[in-house]
Amino acid sequence: MDNSAGIQPATLSALIALVREHTGIAMSDRKSVLLERRLRPRMLALDIGSYQAYVQKVRDDHAEVPHFIDLVTTNDTLFFRTQHVWDYVESEFLPRWWREHPGQTLTVWSAAASSGEELYSIAMLCDQFAALAPGFRYRILGTDISRQILAQARAGDYAGRSVERLLASHPDWVAKYFTARADGLQVVDALKRHVTLAQHNLLKPLRPPSPFTHQKFDLVFLRNVLFYFDQEHQQVVLQQVRHSMAPQARLILGESESMTGLDTAWQFERPLIYTLGSQP
Ligand SMILES: C[S@@+](CC[C@H](N)C(=O)[O-])C[C@H]1O[C@@H](n2cnc3c(N)ncnc32)[C@H](O)[C@@H]1O
């Protein structure tokens, strides 16, 4: 394989089109080096000698598409990312929801779950709340388009930066909700059993797996994923998400995302937090 060649302009356009087709992500041609770095190991493993030949492989071989998706998605995440959102969920959303829905089971969707830090952060908060609110029950659905990153979420093994931050900010919760591993921490089964993980493309309608079948979500985290899409796809994603939300549900976006400029049914509640208006 000739590593010095880089991706030729026509091949780069073809790759960017494939990324958009399979993930909805709008990549600019400035991502050429990133694509080279991510695709090269896979091409070596497959003994494919040119980017053009790899484009053809993704086009011709359906089995290659999940690998391609794993490589072109960016999965950065952290426990308790954007603290004020978690303060809101803990001190406002959960107490109010429980007052208004006594005896019901809260359903939460982490809609671009990545390796699971976000959904286990939700689970820890809910578990803490359950200690104060006897009878409170919750279930969390985590979805992502990348099967590889979902396998990491399923394992619940964490190390490095996300563990260091969590140990510094929530040492008591680390002791309660994780067991020590040789090279990091693993989420305890007591927390995992509230969580279901499933592969899902946000551009498509959600068919919630059991036990969420026929259910609408009370709280949806759609964080740090909208900004990968162009406006057209942002609209599609928001419409799809809307269909899966209960009346009075809350939608939470990522730190640098907003609905500004998007024609949607959402009403601003506070920065990053939206609710559905009276529309169906
Ligand atoms: C930067 S991570 C965000 C993780 C987490 N929500 C957070 O805010 O920390 C973005 C995730 O979106 C996923 N993603 C990208 N396109 C997607 C799509 N069309 N449908 C579902 N997930 C997608 C990626 O695989 C990646 O795991």
Side-chain angles (χ1 to χ4, degrees), residues 29-40:
D29 51 15
R30 291 194 306 274
K31 299 288 183 193
S32 177
V33 174
L34 176 134
L35 282 172
E36 284 173 27
R37 186 164 34 83
R38 291 188 179 179
L39 299 182
R40 207 175 283 149

Side-chain angles (χ1 to χ4, degrees), residues 22-25 73-78 81 110-115 118 143-146 149 200-203 221-225 227-229:
H22 291 293
T23 69
I25 294 170
T73 46
T74 300
N75 312 113
D76 294 343
T77 185
L78 288 169
R81 188 178 195 177
S110 171
S114 186
S115 40
E118 180 176 87
T143 63
D144 201 283
I145 196 169
S146 163
I149 207 71
H200 169 64
N201 181 348
L202 284 164
L203 288 154
F221 287 73
L222 181 70
R223 301 198 310 159
N224 302 300
V225 65
F227 56 34
Y228 292 114
F229 304 131

Side-chain angles (χ1 to χ4, degrees), residues 113-179:
S114 186
S115 40
E117 284 89 331
E118 180 176 87
L119 62 90
Y120 292 123
S121 300
I122 302 166
M124 286 187 268
L125 271 192
C126 286
D127 198 76
Q128 290 289 312
F129 183 72
L132 306 170
F136 173 77
R137 290 185 307 275
Y138 65 97
R139 285 220 60 90
I140 302 165
L141 174 66
T143 63
D144 201 283
I145 196 169
S146 163
R147 289 176 203 273
Q148 190 179 52
I149 207 71
L150 281 173
Q152 288 184 35
R154 202 165 281 120
D157 287 327
Y158 298 101
R161 189 165 77 108
S162 55
V163 160
E164 284 157 24
R165 269 182 39 127
L166 186 64
L167 272 166
S169 64
H170 295 78
D172 298 351
W173 292 10
V174 169
K176 182 169 179 185
Y177 297 117
F178 293 84
T179 49

Side-chain angles (χ1 to χ4, degrees), residues 52-99:
Q52 180 53 42
Y54 185 68
V55 164
Q56 210 49 51
K57 170 88 175 158
V58 177
R59 284 184 182 146
D60 294 346
D61 181 359
H62 286 313
E64 184 57 20
V65 171
H67 297 286
F68 178 66
I69 290 173
D70 291 341
L71 293 170
V72 300
T73 46
T74 300
N75 312 113
D76 294 343
T77 185
L78 288 169
F79 290 101
F80 297 108
R81 188 178 195 177
T82 312
Q83 184 55 46
H84 70 90
V85 160
W86 300 99
D87 295 341
Y88 163 82
V89 173
E90 181 178 20
S91 21
E92 295 189 40
F93 178 84
L94 288 174
R96 185 185 54 223
W97 185 89
W98 183 233
R99 264 195 318 276

